[in-house]
Amino acid sequence: MTAGTRYVLWQKRTGVLAMMLLVGAVLSLADALIGGFGGSRGIIELIPDTRYQISGPMPPRTEAIKDFVIEGQPRDGSVQLVPETVFSGYWLGGNMWRGLIVIAPDAREGDYVLIAKDRFGEKQNPALVFRVRVWPDQAALDAHSPSLLTRKTGSSPYLFAVGLALGGLVAGGANFLFGRLWAQDLKARHCGEIYKLRRTEQGTEITSELPGGDLLRPGMEGTVYRGTGERLCTARIVACDSGEVCMVVKDAVPVRLGDVACVCPETAEMSGK
């Protein structure tokens, strides 16, 4: 019996590991989503010597990049809004543009509001107002992130979520494999896990699925073990039905669900009722 207990031991370990990893993945995803919902609130956060791609609708009565009017750029040009190309919108049609927000290596920390507009004084489109916050370096940017994981590690919480989820799936697969090995070992030893337990006046009534059901008969005696291989007591078969075997333990032994009942038809002895 003890030869196969390593399977159930590793099944439990991998099951706990899978649960912990998957819970960690859910918490990491929650951290990412909370950071997104309560995060920058429309502010583009950048550091010096970086570029950020943007796009938007064309300003009113404007058909070409050369007709754009850009406001809010500092005089030293350290923070710039650079429209580059015009393209057709994917969903609703109409012309749109794409471009870059360019942060120079010597840009100073601070908040900037960059505005793309037409030269005719039409009403300003809010989608063409870009609020930019420049941090001095990556460490400062990470330290002010709405994500707890990013503040603590400097890495994206989505990386943690994906990595932990993959680890949880691997551990879950290992758990399933050890479960199959444990079931095969039990079958080879004419054993089965106890999945139903009831206290009666005659003793503790236990139910499990045992191989060789056609050869088992009421009155045969078997043995009950812990999943770790420790022998607990003997039990007597009182009913057999399509592999489901009901046994009674008369001894005052704390039998539990998940313990193992074994009856070998070739060696089982008949006992009086």
Side-chain angles (χ1 to χ4, degrees):
M1 177 62 197
T2 57
T5 56
R6 63 184 184 277
Y7 296 137
V8 72
L9 176 63
W10 280 104
Q11 183 188 23
K12 291 180 179 178
R13 289 175 176 174
T14 53
V16 171
L17 178 61
M19 179 188 67
M20 293 175 62
L21 291 173
L22 292 176
V23 168
V26 171
L27 293 177
S28 299
L29 183 59
D31 179 66
L33 295 176
I34 291 172
F37 291 141
S40 60
R41 301 186 184 280
I43 299 176
I44 302 172
E45 299 183 281
L46 301 172
I47 61 175
D49 198 22
T50 57
R51 296 186 170 201
Y52 184 84
Q53 292 186 336
I54 56 173
S55 63
M58 295 291 287
R61 300 171 61 186
T62 302
E63 298 181 357
I65 295 296
K66 63 183 179 60
D67 298 325
F68 277 52
V69 175
I70 307 299
E71 295 182 352
Q73 301 179 137
R75 292 183 178 180
D76 60 5
S78 58
V79 179
Q80 297 185 50
L81 174 60
V82 184
E84 292 186 320
T85 59
V86 177
F87 66 97
S88 296
Y90 297 117
W91 300 109
L92 300 178
N95 289 334
M96 298 187 68
W97 63 276
R98 63 169 58 95
L100 298 169
I101 294 177
V102 181
I103 311 298
D106 59 348
R108 297 180 179 180
E109 178 181 356
D111 295 322
Y112 303 85
V113 179
L114 306 180
I115 301 173
K117 59 191 302 185
D118 63 272
R119 54 190 174 86
F120 304 105
E122 297 287 340
K123 183 178 179 180
Q124 178 62 47
N125 187 339
L128 298 178
V129 178
F130 303 94
R131 292 174 173 81
V132 180
R133 179 172 296 157
V134 177
W135 295 103
D137 50 38
Q138 187 65 47
L141 176 60
D142 292 339
H144 292 83
S145 171
S147 164
L148 175 64
L149 287 173
T150 300
R151 292 198 301 272
K152 296 297 184 181
T153 67
S155 298
S156 169
Y158 290 106
L159 293 178
F160 285 92
V162 171
L164 291 171
L166 291 176
L169 292 176
V170 171
N175 175 265
F176 176 78
L177 175 61
F178 285 120
R180 291 294 299 271
L181 292 173
W182 172 236
Q184 292 173 5
D185 184 79
L186 289 178
K187 184 177 180 180
R189 298 174 184 277
H190 303 282
C191 301
E193 286 190 342
I194 298 170
Y195 60 85
K196 189 186 300 183
L197 186 148
R198 186 167 65 96
R199 310 292 180 183
T200 67
E201 294 181 356
Q202 290 74 31
T204 302
E205 188 178 278
I206 59 176
T207 304
S208 61
E209 290 186 358
L210 298 176
D214 294 340
L215 301 177
L216 299 178
R217 297 288 184 273
M220 287 184 173
E221 285 194 347
T223 308
V224 179
Y225 299 88
R226 286 275 187 253
T228 55
E230 175 190 354
R231 186 181 185 279
L232 291 177
C233 58
T234 59
R236 177 174 52 83
I237 297 177
V238 293
C240 303
D241 183 16
S242 301
E244 184 178 87
V245 178
C246 180
M247 308 173 72
V248 171
V249 177
K250 291 188 175 181
D251 300 331
V253 177
V255 179
R256 303 182 302 218
L257 295 175
D259 288 341
V260 176
C262 300
V263 180
C264 181
E266 291 81 4
T267 60
E269 296 182 357
M270 297 291 291
S271 63
K273 296 184 180 180

